[in-house]
Structure formats: C-alpha cells, structure tokens
Amino acid sequence: MESNGKIFLKYIWQYRYTILMFLIFSGIFGAVFSLYDLQTEAVLYSMGLCALVSAAVVPAHFYFYLKKHRSRTDLLQNIEISSENNLKLNTLSEEDYWEMVLKLKRLLSESITAKSSQQRENVEYYTTWVHQIKTPISVMAMILQGEDTAEHLERSAQLFRIEQYVEMVLNYIRLGEDSSDLVFKEYSVDGIIKQAVHKYAPQIIRKRIALKYEPDETVNVITDEKWLLFIIEQLLSNAVKYTEKGEITIDITKDKNLIISDTGIGIASEDLPRIFEKGFTGYNGRADKKSTGLGLYLCKLTADKLSHRIKAESEIGVGTTITVDLNRYQLEAE
C-alpha cells in the first residue's frame, strides 16, 4: 500500500493546474493593487487570509481525496464480488470510468462463460470419442489374444500403447479445466500401486524386466485415487518404455514418499531440470523420435492439483528415480 506522502505528491500533481491558476490570479491581484498604490499592509493582509483559508481547505480536501482512494483500492481488491453500487461517484469523469470498468467486467464474464462452455463441450466430445474408440481397440485385443506368437505379442503391446495415448488425450483435456473432478479421501497407497502394476504386468513380462515391490498396506494418504493412479501409471509407462534390461523398483516409505526407480537409459543432466515442462522431450525424446513430452508434464500438473510434490534423479546409463511426496497436511478425510 502506498504511503500518505506519495499519495499527497500525486494529489499535488493532479491539481497542479489549479495551483498554477491560483498563483497567476494572486500575481494579477498583486499587480493591480500596486498599480493603484494600495497600501502594502492591505496586500499582505489579503494574501495572509488566502493562505489561511488554503491551510484549512487543502488538508480537509486531501483527507476526503485519500479516503476515496482507499475506498477504490478496497473495491479493486474485491472487484470480482463487488456490487455496482459500492462506489459513490461525484463527477462525470468518475461515472465514465466506472461505466468502462463495468463494461469490461461484463465482457470478461461473458468470455469466461463462453470459454467454460467450450471446454465442457470439448471434454464431452473427447470423452465420447475415447469410449467409442476403445470398443475397436478391445475387439482387436481379444483377437490378438487368440495366438501366443511373438508377432501377436508385439501387436498387443503396440495396441496397449495406443490405448494409453487415447486415455492421455482425455486426461490432458480434463486437467486443463479450471476445476477437475477431484474427490479427496484416505486411501491405501498399496491398493493403488497394485492396480497400476496389474495393468502394466503384461508389458513388464514381455520385456523380461524384473519388478521389485514389497507391499505395505499400512501407509495411507489423503488423495484422489483416480488421479494418483494416473501418475503411477505414467511413471510405470516411462520406466517400461526406457528400460530394456534390469529391473523396476517400487517403494513406499513410512513418511509417505512413493519412489519408482528403473535401470533404464537414464536422463541427461542438462535435460533433468526441464523434464516436467510441457512438450520437452530432451535427448532421449529426440533420439527415440516418438516421445510427446506430455507424460511427465501431466504427472507434474496432476501432482500440483493434488498438492503432492514430484522430483526426479537420474544418471545416463544407470537409471532414473522418480519420487512423489504424497503428504497433504492441510486436508481432512471425507
């Protein structure tokens, strides 16, 4: 908040022309008095009376000026919920400016409403599209299950990736909404991890990667099950994708840190600070030429919505470790 001294300087600057006219008029009166050979005492007496009146009027006028400024400042801070009758308007210019503010406010409200409506329509469209396209994907998956050849297993794996990308589209749209369908409750982390492991088990087995996970049903967190599952699935997807041999390790600590490690190709040190940025693929993505740069970005975006924290550690040729801090101290279970 501005100090009264700075506001007073702005007050003087705003009324600079009035002050200038006052000084000009005073000079005119002084010149006229001197031309008519009036006594100096009369001139000084008149100037003294003017100065006395000014000393009384200016502080009072500045007080009301300052009070009105504070009122406008408070109104500005609560403009979203303010009523159109909250401010007293004394001049035509104030009325004009207030009408401009109200019109801009209405235009902004209409724009936000239109954007929200368009966003809902997009979500509805992509939701319908996802459900429709899942039907032929499921049929193709059932057909491929009929034979256990290497060719069919590879096709099943690629079909699984298609299904994951389809779901990623829908989640990307949903996360872009101003309000997501978050439902916070207390969940066992072990149950959510097992859902993700069950989903990716065929891919892990196909690549002959070892999976290490010691179930711990005692660790409970307050979160949204669907979106935490989405984070874990994305992290497992990356681990499987970039690990050709070795193992994937999942661990949940007593202080509610979910740790997913792999022995994959790793991430370059210069890329590590940017891996959660939207569209950033880094060296691995450019070499693979298939990375979208959305997986980890969506993980970070989802973690932020859940008030969880996520970080990564990695070394080229050694592997990557992603840690998700699941603590949410400010929430209560439903």
PDB file of all heavy atoms in Angstrom, residues 32 115 192 229 306:
ATOM      1  N   VAL A  32      -2.400  44.574  -9.714  1.00  0.00           N
ATOM      2  CA  VAL A  32      -3.459  45.593  -9.718  1.00  0.00           C
ATOM      3  C   VAL A  32      -3.359  46.467  -8.471  1.00  0.00           C
ATOM      4  O   VAL A  32      -3.479  47.711  -8.526  1.00  0.00           O
ATOM      5  CB  VAL A  32      -4.839  44.931  -9.824  1.00  0.00           C
ATOM      6  CG1 VAL A  32      -5.950  45.963  -9.610  1.00  0.00           C
ATOM      7  CG2 VAL A  32      -5.000  44.276 -11.187  1.00  0.00           C
ATOM      8  N   LYS A 115     -15.797 -19.586 -22.673  1.00  0.00           N
ATOM      9  CA  LYS A 115     -14.656 -20.489 -22.639  1.00  0.00           C
ATOM     10  C   LYS A 115     -14.976 -21.750 -21.846  1.00  0.00           C
ATOM     11  O   LYS A 115     -14.623 -22.863 -22.251  1.00  0.00           O
ATOM     12  CB  LYS A 115     -13.449 -19.780 -22.020  1.00  0.00           C
ATOM     13  CG  LYS A 115     -12.200 -20.641 -21.951  1.00  0.00           C
ATOM     14  CD  LYS A 115     -11.050 -19.893 -21.320  1.00  0.00           C
ATOM     15  CE  LYS A 115      -9.812 -20.797 -21.205  1.00  0.00           C
ATOM     16  NZ  LYS A 115      -8.675 -20.100 -20.547  1.00  0.00           N
ATOM     17  N   ILE A 192      -3.590 -48.767  -4.702  1.00  0.00           N
ATOM     18  CA  ILE A 192      -3.469 -48.010  -5.945  1.00  0.00           C
ATOM     19  C   ILE A 192      -2.277 -48.508  -6.759  1.00  0.00           C
ATOM     20  O   ILE A 192      -2.355 -48.650  -7.986  1.00  0.00           O
ATOM     21  CB  ILE A 192      -3.329 -46.501  -5.638  1.00  0.00           C
ATOM     22  CG1 ILE A 192      -4.543 -46.014  -4.838  1.00  0.00           C
ATOM     23  CG2 ILE A 192      -3.191 -45.702  -6.922  1.00  0.00           C
ATOM     24  CD1 ILE A 192      -4.468 -44.568  -4.403  1.00  0.00           C
ATOM     25  N   LEU A 229      -3.510 -42.737  -9.367  1.00  0.00           N
ATOM     26  CA  LEU A 229      -3.296 -43.906 -10.218  1.00  0.00           C
ATOM     27  C   LEU A 229      -2.771 -43.476 -11.584  1.00  0.00           C
ATOM     28  O   LEU A 229      -1.879 -44.128 -12.155  1.00  0.00           O
ATOM     29  CB  LEU A 229      -4.602 -44.685 -10.374  1.00  0.00           C
ATOM     30  CG  LEU A 229      -4.569 -45.899 -11.307  1.00  0.00           C
ATOM     31  CD1 LEU A 229      -3.570 -46.946 -10.805  1.00  0.00           C
ATOM     32  CD2 LEU A 229      -5.959 -46.510 -11.451  1.00  0.00           C
ATOM     33  N   LEU A 306      -3.137 -32.173  -6.860  1.00  0.00           N
ATOM     34  CA  LEU A 306      -3.324 -32.984  -5.659  1.00  0.00           C
ATOM     35  C   LEU A 306      -2.521 -32.451  -4.477  1.00  0.00           C
ATOM     36  O   LEU A 306      -2.585 -33.020  -3.383  1.00  0.00           O
ATOM     37  CB  LEU A 306      -2.906 -34.438  -5.937  1.00  0.00           C
ATOM     38  CG  LEU A 306      -3.686 -35.182  -7.025  1.00  0.00           C
ATOM     39  CD1 LEU A 306      -3.096 -36.570  -7.242  1.00  0.00           C
ATOM     40  CD2 LEU A 306      -5.158 -35.282  -6.653  1.00  0.00           C
TER      41      LEU A 306
END
